[in-house]
Amino acid sequence: MHPAPSLIIFTTLSGLGFGLLAWLGAGALVPTGWVGFVFYALGYGLAGAGLVTSAAHLGHPERALKAFTQWRTSWLSREAVLSVGALLLMAPHAAGSVFFATPLPVFGWLGAVFCVATVFATSMIYAQIRAVPRWHHWTTPALFLAFALSGGALLSGQITAAALLLALLAVVMVLHWHFGDRRLAEAGSTPETATGLGFMGRVRLFEPPHTGANYLLREMVHVVGRKHAVKLRVIALLGAAVLPALVLAALPASHLAAGLAIALHGVGLMASRWLFFAEAEHVVGLYYGRR
Amino acid sequence: MTSLPEKTDKKLGLVIDLDTCVGCHACVISCKEWNTQGYGAPLADMDAYGAHPEGSFLNRVHSFEVTPDEGPSAVVHFPKSCLHCEDAPCVTVCPTGASYKRAEDGIVLVNESDCIGCGLCAWACPYGAREMDPSEQVMKKCTLCVDRIYNDNIPEEDRVPSCVRTCPAGARHFGDLGDPDSDVSRLVAERGGMDLMPEQETKPVNKYLPPRAKDGLGETDVLAPYLDPVTEEADGFVGWLDRALSRI
Ligand code: SF4
Ligand code: SF4
């Protein structure tokens, strides 16, 4: 799949933002006044920036409101509803903390639940797609949730929780790769099943239907991004999980240590999300002799 | 709502004969020609006269080489368009309700004025049957020529999808695959019509008829036995020459 920058930015920023808001809402940290303002501005800023980038990805952003209508069937629609719900529910808690030094935990908790649900809905947009076997697996929601919760814990300075969640994240990342590498074969889709011609012999593309590019090839048969997959996996694992956990364990708690851990985590997150798209094989590639 | 209908009254669809298709791409062109001027936004071509022309099409013809364990390979031309699946994953993922499957005849359509161009439906389709129009930024797909098949303003013989009407080889058939007595259903039963990627569990309505077995090389000519060489030894001048040269 094409690792579109807008999708990578959207999913990473909104994941971090909703992760942070979830921790704030759950009352792990109850900042008030200016400190509270900074935390909530960061949470809302990240989540909001993610949502704006995702709207920019649309062919017709001016019709984006229609995407709130099909929540009964569509995970994308559910994500839209849940994300706005999360931001609205969290608002009284945030405003109470920042302006009146009066947190409203009921709204905070409700908001936190919606934040986690939003991240889950985002992950299900990918996990529901059977035509991309690597995504169609429980490790996809696990990966998105582990990233959001550990990133949120880092941003909200929950050192013990962050260290534990980063260890969990490392395990989930490895599992996603481990299972992911077998998913296409398990799905059983081959050029033979795609054409139904397996009964005659081995099937190979002889002539493609068009000599130029097209939407399908650009969007779904993106194979160039996998060139440095192994190196990127190492960068992702070290950056997102291992090094930040070591920083938290080794350095005394300070803004500098936290900043370093967050920066490393951000780099690893980007690498991991790039791979999430670039390594995902869509079965339509079988019609084009590519995976 | 982008929920799928429980069942559809009819299952209109195509039956494509891989034995007969000659790979001429006439259906591709006639599809583009009809659908660029009727239902919804035109099918754009970008950089049409430049170095990298490309555009949106609703039907494309691949060609595959099939190599058996023994014997020569075969080339199979393979037209591909929306299969109007019964369990269409492209419909249920749509956040806006723009994608839908009609309860009356099972045709899968996009209401372009509701489409936000998110592209998720194209990801959900295993067959690559949906393409975003590069100019209008809305999702395009085969409509089964819904503006021909019910159109009283055109002669009756034209009330079939444009590709079916055009195919010079008669490789494309249109009808109700939900009616076991229809011509297309009987054709599918007779020829062992098959589903593409059944493991994706989309339950395609369109069926493909497999190529028939080809005659083997061994039995190409009934006269072959009479063409076997009748004499091992040459005679006459050539025979003398052969013997003379062999002796040297
Ligand atoms: S072929 Fe693709 S676009 Fe057509 S109904 Fe099936 S899944 Fe949807
Ligand atoms: S591209 Fe249009 S039709 Fe397809 S899922 Fe998005 S809104 Fe629905």
Side-chain angles (χ1 to χ4, degrees), chain B residues 28-46 54-59 112 131-136 138-143:
Chain B
V28 178
I29 302 307
S30 75
C31 167
K32 178 116 173 174
E33 185 264 341
W34 177 265
N35 285 295
T36 203
Q37 58 178 347
Y39 184 98
L43 293 165
D45 285 314
M46 309 306 269
E54 66 169 270
S56 48
F57 286 77
L58 312 183
N59 176 29
E112 292 176 6
E131 299 187 17
M132 185 90 75
D133 188 78
S135 162
E136 291 293 322
V138 290
M139 200 46 78
K140 303 297 296 184
K141 69 175 293 303
C142 162
T143 67

PDB file of all heavy atoms in Angstrom, chain B residues 28-46 54-59 112 131-136 138-143:
ATOM      1  N   VAL B  28     -13.040  -2.442 -23.494  1.00  0.00           N
ATOM      2  CA  VAL B  28     -12.436  -1.395 -22.670  1.00  0.00           C
ATOM      3  C   VAL B  28     -12.786  -0.033 -23.261  1.00  0.00           C
ATOM      4  O   VAL B  28     -13.187   0.903 -22.560  1.00  0.00           O
ATOM      5  CB  VAL B  28     -10.899  -1.577 -22.620  1.00  0.00           C
ATOM      6  CG1 VAL B  28     -10.243  -0.477 -21.819  1.00  0.00           C
ATOM      7  CG2 VAL B  28     -10.546  -2.944 -22.075  1.00  0.00           C
ATOM      8  N   ILE B  29     -12.640   0.034 -24.580  1.00  0.00           N
ATOM      9  CA  ILE B  29     -12.849   1.308 -25.269  1.00  0.00           C
ATOM     10  C   ILE B  29     -14.330   1.666 -25.299  1.00  0.00           C
ATOM     11  O   ILE B  29     -14.713   2.803 -25.043  1.00  0.00           O
ATOM     12  CB  ILE B  29     -12.266   1.232 -26.705  1.00  0.00           C
ATOM     13  CG1 ILE B  29     -10.773   0.894 -26.635  1.00  0.00           C
ATOM     14  CG2 ILE B  29     -12.498   2.527 -27.454  1.00  0.00           C
ATOM     15  CD1 ILE B  29      -9.950   1.788 -25.734  1.00  0.00           C
ATOM     16  N   SER B  30     -15.181   0.692 -25.594  1.00  0.00           N
ATOM     17  CA  SER B  30     -16.604   1.022 -25.678  1.00  0.00           C
ATOM     18  C   SER B  30     -17.144   1.378 -24.302  1.00  0.00           C
ATOM     19  O   SER B  30     -18.021   2.229 -24.167  1.00  0.00           O
ATOM     20  CB  SER B  30     -17.393  -0.129 -26.294  1.00  0.00           C
ATOM     21  OG  SER B  30     -17.540  -1.170 -25.362  1.00  0.00           O
ATOM     22  N   CYS B  31     -16.601   0.745 -23.262  1.00  0.00           N
ATOM     23  CA  CYS B  31     -17.000   1.074 -21.896  1.00  0.00           C
ATOM     24  C   CYS B  31     -16.652   2.527 -21.589  1.00  0.00           C
ATOM     25  O   CYS B  31     -17.458   3.302 -21.098  1.00  0.00           O
ATOM     26  CB  CYS B  31     -16.289   0.150 -20.912  1.00  0.00           C
ATOM     27  SG  CYS B  31     -16.389   0.677 -19.198  1.00  0.00           S
ATOM     28  N   LYS B  32     -15.428   2.875 -21.916  1.00  0.00           N
ATOM     29  CA  LYS B  32     -14.985   4.251 -21.626  1.00  0.00           C
ATOM     30  C   LYS B  32     -15.827   5.233 -22.437  1.00  0.00           C
ATOM     31  O   LYS B  32     -16.232   6.285 -21.928  1.00  0.00           O
ATOM     32  CB  LYS B  32     -13.515   4.385 -21.987  1.00  0.00           C
ATOM     33  CG  LYS B  32     -12.962   5.776 -21.776  1.00  0.00           C
ATOM     34  CD  LYS B  32     -11.900   5.805 -20.721  1.00  0.00           C
ATOM     35  CE  LYS B  32     -11.242   7.174 -20.648  1.00  0.00           C
ATOM     36  NZ  LYS B  32     -10.294   7.280 -19.548  1.00  0.00           N
ATOM     37  N   GLU B  33     -16.088   4.896 -23.682  1.00  0.00           N
ATOM     38  CA  GLU B  33     -16.820   5.790 -24.572  1.00  0.00           C
ATOM     39  C   GLU B  33     -18.230   6.042 -24.036  1.00  0.00           C
ATOM     40  O   GLU B  33     -18.680   7.169 -23.949  1.00  0.00           O
ATOM     41  CB  GLU B  33     -16.849   5.174 -25.972  1.00  0.00           C
ATOM     42  CG  GLU B  33     -17.473   6.052 -27.033  1.00  0.00           C
ATOM     43  CD  GLU B  33     -18.929   5.745 -27.267  1.00  0.00           C
ATOM     44  OE1 GLU B  33     -19.356   4.635 -26.889  1.00  0.00           O
ATOM     45  OE2 GLU B  33     -19.632   6.607 -27.796  1.00  0.00           O
ATOM     46  N   TRP B  34     -18.917   4.956 -23.632  1.00  0.00           N
ATOM     47  CA  TRP B  34     -20.278   5.142 -23.136  1.00  0.00           C
ATOM     48  C   TRP B  34     -20.287   5.847 -21.775  1.00  0.00           C
ATOM     49  O   TRP B  34     -21.049   6.778 -21.541  1.00  0.00           O
ATOM     50  CB  TRP B  34     -20.999   3.788 -23.021  1.00  0.00           C
ATOM     51  CG  TRP B  34     -22.371   3.948 -22.437  1.00  0.00           C
ATOM     52  CD1 TRP B  34     -22.721   3.802 -21.131  1.00  0.00           C
ATOM     53  CD2 TRP B  34     -23.546   4.343 -23.135  1.00  0.00           C
ATOM     54  NE1 TRP B  34     -24.059   4.076 -20.979  1.00  0.00           N
ATOM     55  CE2 TRP B  34     -24.587   4.407 -22.183  1.00  0.00           C
ATOM     56  CE3 TRP B  34     -23.821   4.647 -24.477  1.00  0.00           C
ATOM     57  CZ2 TRP B  34     -25.884   4.769 -22.530  1.00  0.00           C
ATOM     58  CZ3 TRP B  34     -25.119   5.004 -24.813  1.00  0.00           C
ATOM     59  CH2 TRP B  34     -26.138   5.064 -23.850  1.00  0.00           C
ATOM     60  N   ASN B  35     -19.421   5.405 -20.896  1.00  0.00           N
ATOM     61  CA  ASN B  35     -19.505   5.882 -19.519  1.00  0.00           C
ATOM     62  C   ASN B  35     -18.853   7.232 -19.283  1.00  0.00           C
ATOM     63  O   ASN B  35     -18.984   7.799 -18.201  1.00  0.00           O
ATOM     64  CB  ASN B  35     -18.924   4.841 -18.563  1.00  0.00           C
ATOM     65  CG  ASN B  35     -19.876   3.678 -18.400  1.00  0.00           C
ATOM     66  OD1 ASN B  35     -20.965   3.839 -17.882  1.00  0.00           O
ATOM     67  ND2 ASN B  35     -19.482   2.508 -18.898  1.00  0.00           N
ATOM     68  N   THR B  36     -18.183   7.762 -20.301  1.00  0.00           N
ATOM     69  CA  THR B  36     -17.623   9.088 -20.112  1.00  0.00           C
ATOM     70  C   THR B  36     -18.668  10.150 -20.424  1.00  0.00           C
ATOM     71  O   THR B  36     -18.469  11.326 -20.175  1.00  0.00           O
ATOM     72  CB  THR B  36     -16.362   9.285 -20.978  1.00  0.00           C
ATOM     73  OG1 THR B  36     -15.565  10.306 -20.400  1.00  0.00           O
ATOM     74  CG2 THR B  36     -16.693   9.626 -22.408  1.00  0.00           C
ATOM     75  N   GLN B  37     -19.797   9.733 -20.955  1.00  0.00           N
ATOM     76  CA  GLN B  37     -20.789  10.724 -21.375  1.00  0.00           C
ATOM     77  C   GLN B  37     -22.138  10.511 -20.717  1.00  0.00           C
ATOM     78  O   GLN B  37     -23.065  11.262 -20.935  1.00  0.00           O
ATOM     79  CB  GLN B  37     -20.966  10.649 -22.890  1.00  0.00           C
ATOM     80  CG  GLN B  37     -21.391   9.262 -23.310  1.00  0.00           C
ATOM     81  CD  GLN B  37     -21.639   9.125 -24.796  1.00  0.00           C
ATOM     82  OE1 GLN B  37     -21.731  10.110 -25.492  1.00  0.00           O
ATOM     83  NE2 GLN B  37     -21.762   7.904 -25.271  1.00  0.00           N
ATOM     84  N   GLY B  38     -22.268   9.450 -19.883  1.00  0.00           N
ATOM     85  CA  GLY B  38     -23.587   9.184 -19.317  1.00  0.00           C
ATOM     86  C   GLY B  38     -23.600   9.386 -17.822  1.00  0.00           C
ATOM     87  O   GLY B  38     -23.483  10.504 -17.318  1.00  0.00           O
ATOM     88  N   TYR B  39     -23.674   8.278 -17.110  1.00  0.00           N
ATOM     89  CA  TYR B  39     -23.796   8.282 -15.653  1.00  0.00           C
ATOM     90  C   TYR B  39     -22.620   8.985 -14.989  1.00  0.00           C
ATOM     91  O   TYR B  39     -21.471   8.613 -15.170  1.00  0.00           O
ATOM     92  CB  TYR B  39     -23.846   6.812 -15.204  1.00  0.00           C
ATOM     93  CG  TYR B  39     -24.056   6.602 -13.727  1.00  0.00           C
ATOM     94  CD1 TYR B  39     -25.327   6.333 -13.233  1.00  0.00           C
ATOM     95  CD2 TYR B  39     -22.989   6.657 -12.838  1.00  0.00           C
ATOM     96  CE1 TYR B  39     -25.527   6.127 -11.880  1.00  0.00           C
ATOM     97  CE2 TYR B  39     -23.181   6.459 -11.491  1.00  0.00           C
ATOM     98  CZ  TYR B  39     -24.446   6.194 -11.012  1.00  0.00           C
ATOM     99  OH  TYR B  39     -24.636   5.993  -9.678  1.00  0.00           O
ATOM    100  N   GLY B  40     -22.895  10.006 -14.209  1.00  0.00           N
ATOM    101  CA  GLY B  40     -21.872  10.628 -13.359  1.00  0.00           C
ATOM    102  C   GLY B  40     -20.793  11.385 -14.114  1.00  0.00           C
ATOM    103  O   GLY B  40     -20.941  11.727 -15.286  1.00  0.00           O
ATOM    104  N   ALA B  41     -19.700  11.608 -13.393  1.00  0.00           N
ATOM    105  CA  ALA B  41     -18.601  12.402 -13.934  1.00  0.00           C
ATOM    106  C   ALA B  41     -17.960  11.669 -15.108  1.00  0.00           C
ATOM    107  O   ALA B  41     -17.941  10.446 -15.138  1.00  0.00           O
ATOM    108  CB  ALA B  41     -17.556  12.642 -12.844  1.00  0.00           C
ATOM    109  N   PRO B  42     -17.440  12.441 -16.081  1.00  0.00           N
ATOM    110  CA  PRO B  42     -16.739  11.795 -17.206  1.00  0.00           C
ATOM    111  C   PRO B  42     -15.488  11.062 -16.711  1.00  0.00           C
ATOM    112  O   PRO B  42     -14.952  11.384 -15.651  1.00  0.00           O
ATOM    113  CB  PRO B  42     -16.359  12.961 -18.117  1.00  0.00           C
ATOM    114  CG  PRO B  42     -16.784  14.200 -17.457  1.00  0.00           C
ATOM    115  CD  PRO B  42     -17.455  13.892 -16.160  1.00  0.00           C
ATOM    116  N   LEU B  43     -15.047  10.085 -17.495  1.00  0.00           N
ATOM    117  CA  LEU B  43     -13.852   9.321 -17.131  1.00  0.00           C
ATOM    118  C   LEU B  43     -12.633  10.046 -17.686  1.00  0.00           C
ATOM    119  O   LEU B  43     -12.355   9.993 -18.866  1.00  0.00           O
ATOM    120  CB  LEU B  43     -13.941   7.912 -17.730  1.00  0.00           C
ATOM    121  CG  LEU B  43     -15.041   7.025 -17.154  1.00  0.00           C
ATOM    122  CD1 LEU B  43     -15.283   5.824 -18.049  1.00  0.00           C
ATOM    123  CD2 LEU B  43     -14.686   6.583 -15.746  1.00  0.00           C
ATOM    124  N   ALA B  44     -11.903  10.700 -16.808  1.00  0.00           N
ATOM    125  CA  ALA B  44     -10.847  11.607 -17.262  1.00  0.00           C
ATOM    126  C   ALA B  44      -9.615  10.866 -17.773  1.00  0.00           C
ATOM    127  O   ALA B  44      -9.337   9.742 -17.366  1.00  0.00           O
ATOM    128  CB  ALA B  44     -10.450  12.534 -16.110  1.00  0.00           C
ATOM    129  N   ASP B  45      -8.921  11.526 -18.677  1.00  0.00           N
ATOM    130  CA  ASP B  45      -7.565  11.127 -19.066  1.00  0.00           C
ATOM    131  C   ASP B  45      -6.650  12.283 -18.719  1.00  0.00           C
ATOM    132  O   ASP B  45      -6.951  13.430 -19.040  1.00  0.00           O
ATOM    133  CB  ASP B  45      -7.478  10.869 -20.571  1.00  0.00           C
ATOM    134  CG  ASP B  45      -8.118   9.548 -20.936  1.00  0.00           C
ATOM    135  OD1 ASP B  45      -7.843   8.558 -20.249  1.00  0.00           O
ATOM    136  OD2 ASP B  45      -8.902   9.519 -21.898  1.00  0.00           O
ATOM    137  N   MET B  46      -5.546  11.983 -18.065  1.00  0.00           N
ATOM    138  CA  MET B  46      -4.594  13.039 -17.723  1.00  0.00           C
ATOM    139  C   MET B  46      -3.379  12.896 -18.630  1.00  0.00           C
ATOM    140  O   MET B  46      -2.980  11.776 -18.940  1.00  0.00           O
ATOM    141  CB  MET B  46      -4.155  12.919 -16.256  1.00  0.00           C
ATOM    142  CG  MET B  46      -5.288  12.812 -15.261  1.00  0.00           C
ATOM    143  SD  MET B  46      -6.516  14.127 -15.374  1.00  0.00           S
ATOM    144  CE  MET B  46      -5.837  15.300 -14.210  1.00  0.00           C
ATOM    145  N   GLU B  54      -2.489   8.683 -18.555  1.00  0.00           N
ATOM    146  CA  GLU B  54      -3.222   7.707 -17.760  1.00  0.00           C
ATOM    147  C   GLU B  54      -4.621   8.248 -17.505  1.00  0.00           C
ATOM    148  O   GLU B  54      -4.866   9.449 -17.601  1.00  0.00           O
ATOM    149  CB  GLU B  54      -2.511   7.414 -16.435  1.00  0.00           C
ATOM    150  CG  GLU B  54      -2.457   8.584 -15.485  1.00  0.00           C
ATOM    151  CD  GLU B  54      -1.980   8.136 -14.100  1.00  0.00           C
ATOM    152  OE1 GLU B  54      -2.822   7.764 -13.262  1.00  0.00           O
ATOM    153  OE2 GLU B  54      -0.771   8.176 -13.876  1.00  0.00           O
ATOM    154  N   GLY B  55      -5.522   7.341 -17.198  1.00  0.00           N
ATOM    155  CA  GLY B  55      -6.886   7.792 -16.967  1.00  0.00           C
ATOM    156  C   GLY B  55      -7.660   6.757 -16.199  1.00  0.00           C
ATOM    157  O   GLY B  55      -7.141   5.706 -15.833  1.00  0.00           O
ATOM    158  N   SER B  56      -8.924   7.070 -15.938  1.00  0.00           N
ATOM    159  CA  SER B  56      -9.744   6.104 -15.210  1.00  0.00           C
ATOM    160  C   SER B  56     -10.531   5.249 -16.206  1.00  0.00           C
ATOM    161  O   SER B  56     -11.067   5.759 -17.196  1.00  0.00           O
ATOM    162  CB  SER B  56     -10.680   6.817 -14.234  1.00  0.00           C
ATOM    163  OG  SER B  56     -11.356   7.878 -14.860  1.00  0.00           O
ATOM    164  N   PHE B  57     -10.554   3.975 -15.929  1.00  0.00           N
ATOM    165  CA  PHE B  57     -11.283   3.002 -16.752  1.00  0.00           C
ATOM    166  C   PHE B  57     -12.105   2.120 -15.821  1.00  0.00           C
ATOM    167  O   PHE B  57     -11.718   1.891 -14.676  1.00  0.00           O
ATOM    168  CB  PHE B  57     -10.308   2.130 -17.544  1.00  0.00           C
ATOM    169  CG  PHE B  57      -9.657   2.821 -18.711  1.00  0.00           C
ATOM    170  CD1 PHE B  57      -8.617   3.709 -18.509  1.00  0.00           C
ATOM    171  CD2 PHE B  57     -10.091   2.591 -19.999  1.00  0.00           C
ATOM    172  CE1 PHE B  57      -8.014   4.360 -19.574  1.00  0.00           C
ATOM    173  CE2 PHE B  57      -9.496   3.232 -21.073  1.00  0.00           C
ATOM    174  CZ  PHE B  57      -8.454   4.121 -20.862  1.00  0.00           C
ATOM    175  N   LEU B  58     -13.206   1.603 -16.336  1.00  0.00           N
ATOM    176  CA  LEU B  58     -14.058   0.736 -15.513  1.00  0.00           C
ATOM    177  C   LEU B  58     -13.859  -0.725 -15.860  1.00  0.00           C
ATOM    178  O   LEU B  58     -14.424  -1.605 -15.227  1.00  0.00           O
ATOM    179  CB  LEU B  58     -15.528   1.113 -15.703  1.00  0.00           C
ATOM    180  CG  LEU B  58     -15.849   2.607 -15.606  1.00  0.00           C
ATOM    181  CD1 LEU B  58     -17.338   2.838 -15.738  1.00  0.00           C
ATOM    182  CD2 LEU B  58     -15.325   3.189 -14.306  1.00  0.00           C
ATOM    183  N   ASN B  59     -13.092  -0.977 -16.889  1.00  0.00           N
ATOM    184  CA  ASN B  59     -12.918  -2.332 -17.395  1.00  0.00           C
ATOM    185  C   ASN B  59     -11.524  -2.379 -18.003  1.00  0.00           C
ATOM    186  O   ASN B  59     -11.146  -1.472 -18.732  1.00  0.00           O
ATOM    187  CB  ASN B  59     -13.992  -2.592 -18.463  1.00  0.00           C
ATOM    188  CG  ASN B  59     -13.854  -3.937 -19.139  1.00  0.00           C
ATOM    189  OD1 ASN B  59     -13.373  -4.895 -18.558  1.00  0.00           O
ATOM    190  ND2 ASN B  59     -14.278  -4.014 -20.390  1.00  0.00           N
ATOM    191  N   GLU B 112     -22.187   9.754  -6.751  1.00  0.00           N
ATOM    192  CA  GLU B 112     -20.980  10.584  -6.773  1.00  0.00           C
ATOM    193  C   GLU B 112     -21.132  11.891  -6.014  1.00  0.00           C
ATOM    194  O   GLU B 112     -20.149  12.454  -5.547  1.00  0.00           O
ATOM    195  CB  GLU B 112     -20.570  10.849  -8.220  1.00  0.00           C
ATOM    196  CG  GLU B 112     -20.093   9.571  -8.892  1.00  0.00           C
ATOM    197  CD  GLU B 112     -19.763   9.776 -10.355  1.00  0.00           C
ATOM    198  OE1 GLU B 112     -19.784  10.922 -10.832  1.00  0.00           O
ATOM    199  OE2 GLU B 112     -19.498   8.760 -11.021  1.00  0.00           O
ATOM    200  N   GLU B 131     -11.695   2.779  -9.393  1.00  0.00           N
ATOM    201  CA  GLU B 131     -10.611   3.735  -9.616  1.00  0.00           C
ATOM    202  C   GLU B 131     -11.115   5.135  -9.324  1.00  0.00           C
ATOM    203  O   GLU B 131     -12.204   5.513  -9.732  1.00  0.00           O
ATOM    204  CB  GLU B 131     -10.122   3.640 -11.068  1.00  0.00           C
ATOM    205  CG  GLU B 131      -9.570   2.264 -11.411  1.00  0.00           C
ATOM    206  CD  GLU B 131      -8.928   2.188 -12.790  1.00  0.00           C
ATOM    207  OE1 GLU B 131      -8.605   3.240 -13.373  1.00  0.00           O
ATOM    208  OE2 GLU B 131      -8.765   1.051 -13.276  1.00  0.00           O
ATOM    209  N   MET B 132     -10.289   5.899  -8.622  1.00  0.00           N
ATOM    210  CA  MET B 132     -10.626   7.293  -8.350  1.00  0.00           C
ATOM    211  C   MET B 132     -10.420   8.096  -9.630  1.00  0.00           C
ATOM    212  O   MET B 132      -9.377   7.975 -10.264  1.00  0.00           O
ATOM    213  CB  MET B 132      -9.700   7.823  -7.256  1.00  0.00           C
ATOM    214  CG  MET B 132     -10.037   9.212  -6.804  1.00  0.00           C
ATOM    215  SD  MET B 132     -11.186   9.192  -5.447  1.00  0.00           S
ATOM    216  CE  MET B 132     -10.117   8.692  -4.105  1.00  0.00           C
ATOM    217  N   ASP B 133     -11.413   8.891  -9.978  1.00  0.00           N
ATOM    218  CA  ASP B 133     -11.221   9.703 -11.177  1.00  0.00           C
ATOM    219  C   ASP B 133     -10.181  10.783 -10.891  1.00  0.00           C
ATOM    220  O   ASP B 133     -10.307  11.529  -9.923  1.00  0.00           O
ATOM    221  CB  ASP B 133     -12.525  10.352 -11.609  1.00  0.00           C
ATOM    222  CG  ASP B 133     -12.346  11.025 -12.955  1.00  0.00           C
ATOM    223  OD1 ASP B 133     -12.352  10.309 -13.969  1.00  0.00           O
ATOM    224  OD2 ASP B 133     -12.133  12.253 -12.982  1.00  0.00           O
ATOM    225  N   PRO B 134      -9.134  10.845 -11.751  1.00  0.00           N
ATOM    226  CA  PRO B 134      -8.034  11.762 -11.443  1.00  0.00           C
ATOM    227  C   PRO B 134      -8.442  13.224 -11.539  1.00  0.00           C
ATOM    228  O   PRO B 134      -7.774  14.083 -10.962  1.00  0.00           O
ATOM    229  CB  PRO B 134      -6.978  11.416 -12.494  1.00  0.00           C
ATOM    230  CG  PRO B 134      -7.724  10.755 -13.598  1.00  0.00           C
ATOM    231  CD  PRO B 134      -8.905  10.081 -12.984  1.00  0.00           C
ATOM    232  N   SER B 135      -9.510  13.515 -12.237  1.00  0.00           N
ATOM    233  CA  SER B 135      -9.908  14.902 -12.358  1.00  0.00           C
ATOM    234  C   SER B 135     -11.030  15.266 -11.375  1.00  0.00           C
ATOM    235  O   SER B 135     -10.942  16.248 -10.652  1.00  0.00           O
ATOM    236  CB  SER B 135     -10.334  15.165 -13.805  1.00  0.00           C
ATOM    237  OG  SER B 135     -11.093  16.321 -13.886  1.00  0.00           O
ATOM    238  N   GLU B 136     -12.062  14.444 -11.315  1.00  0.00           N
ATOM    239  CA  GLU B 136     -13.210  14.766 -10.461  1.00  0.00           C
ATOM    240  C   GLU B 136     -13.004  14.354  -9.009  1.00  0.00           C
ATOM    241  O   GLU B 136     -13.755  14.770  -8.126  1.00  0.00           O
ATOM    242  CB  GLU B 136     -14.469  14.069 -10.989  1.00  0.00           C
ATOM    243  CG  GLU B 136     -14.971  14.629 -12.305  1.00  0.00           C
ATOM    244  CD  GLU B 136     -15.496  16.057 -12.153  1.00  0.00           C
ATOM    245  OE1 GLU B 136     -16.127  16.352 -11.125  1.00  0.00           O
ATOM    246  OE2 GLU B 136     -15.226  16.853 -13.056  1.00  0.00           O
ATOM    247  N   VAL B 138     -13.746  11.615  -7.544  1.00  0.00           N
ATOM    248  CA  VAL B 138     -14.804  10.772  -6.985  1.00  0.00           C
ATOM    249  C   VAL B 138     -14.572   9.352  -7.491  1.00  0.00           C
ATOM    250  O   VAL B 138     -13.869   9.141  -8.478  1.00  0.00           O
ATOM    251  CB  VAL B 138     -16.224  11.226  -7.401  1.00  0.00           C
ATOM    252  CG1 VAL B 138     -16.578  12.539  -6.733  1.00  0.00           C
ATOM    253  CG2 VAL B 138     -16.354  11.302  -8.905  1.00  0.00           C
ATOM    254  N   MET B 139     -15.147   8.371  -6.783  1.00  0.00           N
ATOM    255  CA  MET B 139     -14.874   6.986  -7.111  1.00  0.00           C
ATOM    256  C   MET B 139     -15.691   6.561  -8.331  1.00  0.00           C
ATOM    257  O   MET B 139     -16.891   6.798  -8.401  1.00  0.00           O
ATOM    258  CB  MET B 139     -15.214   6.116  -5.903  1.00  0.00           C
ATOM    259  CG  MET B 139     -14.568   4.766  -5.914  1.00  0.00           C
ATOM    260  SD  MET B 139     -12.817   4.740  -6.318  1.00  0.00           S
ATOM    261  CE  MET B 139     -12.039   5.270  -4.794  1.00  0.00           C
ATOM    262  N   LYS B 140     -15.012   5.923  -9.288  1.00  0.00           N
ATOM    263  CA  LYS B 140     -15.676   5.427 -10.497  1.00  0.00           C
ATOM    264  C   LYS B 140     -15.651   3.903 -10.496  1.00  0.00           C
ATOM    265  O   LYS B 140     -14.674   3.294 -10.055  1.00  0.00           O
ATOM    266  CB  LYS B 140     -14.948   5.932 -11.750  1.00  0.00           C
ATOM    267  CG  LYS B 140     -14.824   7.429 -11.864  1.00  0.00           C
ATOM    268  CD  LYS B 140     -16.134   8.156 -11.970  1.00  0.00           C
ATOM    269  CE  LYS B 140     -16.912   7.823 -13.229  1.00  0.00           C
ATOM    270  NZ  LYS B 140     -18.144   8.638 -13.346  1.00  0.00           N
ATOM    271  N   LYS B 141     -16.707   3.314 -10.973  1.00  0.00           N
ATOM    272  CA  LYS B 141     -16.749   1.857 -11.101  1.00  0.00           C
ATOM    273  C   LYS B 141     -17.801   1.481 -12.127  1.00  0.00           C
ATOM    274  O   LYS B 141     -18.627   2.308 -12.504  1.00  0.00           O
ATOM    275  CB  LYS B 141     -17.062   1.216  -9.751  1.00  0.00           C
ATOM    276  CG  LYS B 141     -18.478   1.492  -9.293  1.00  0.00           C
ATOM    277  CD  LYS B 141     -18.782   0.745  -8.022  1.00  0.00           C
ATOM    278  CE  LYS B 141     -18.818  -0.753  -8.256  1.00  0.00           C
ATOM    279  NZ  LYS B 141     -19.798  -1.153  -9.288  1.00  0.00           N
ATOM    280  N   CYS B 142     -17.759   0.209 -12.536  1.00  0.00           N
ATOM    281  CA  CYS B 142     -18.728  -0.315 -13.494  1.00  0.00           C
ATOM    282  C   CYS B 142     -20.145  -0.152 -12.943  1.00  0.00           C
ATOM    283  O   CYS B 142     -20.412  -0.509 -11.795  1.00  0.00           O
ATOM    284  CB  CYS B 142     -18.431  -1.790 -13.741  1.00  0.00           C
ATOM    285  SG  CYS B 142     -19.790  -2.709 -14.465  1.00  0.00           S
ATOM    286  N   THR B 143     -21.036   0.381 -13.765  1.00  0.00           N
ATOM    287  CA  THR B 143     -22.437   0.546 -13.359  1.00  0.00           C
ATOM    288  C   THR B 143     -23.315  -0.528 -13.997  1.00  0.00           C
ATOM    289  O   THR B 143     -24.531  -0.456 -13.895  1.00  0.00           O
ATOM    290  CB  THR B 143     -22.971   1.912 -13.793  1.00  0.00           C
ATOM    291  OG1 THR B 143     -23.034   1.920 -15.228  1.00  0.00           O
ATOM    292  CG2 THR B 143     -22.075   3.048 -13.314  1.00  0.00           C
TER     293      THR B 143
END
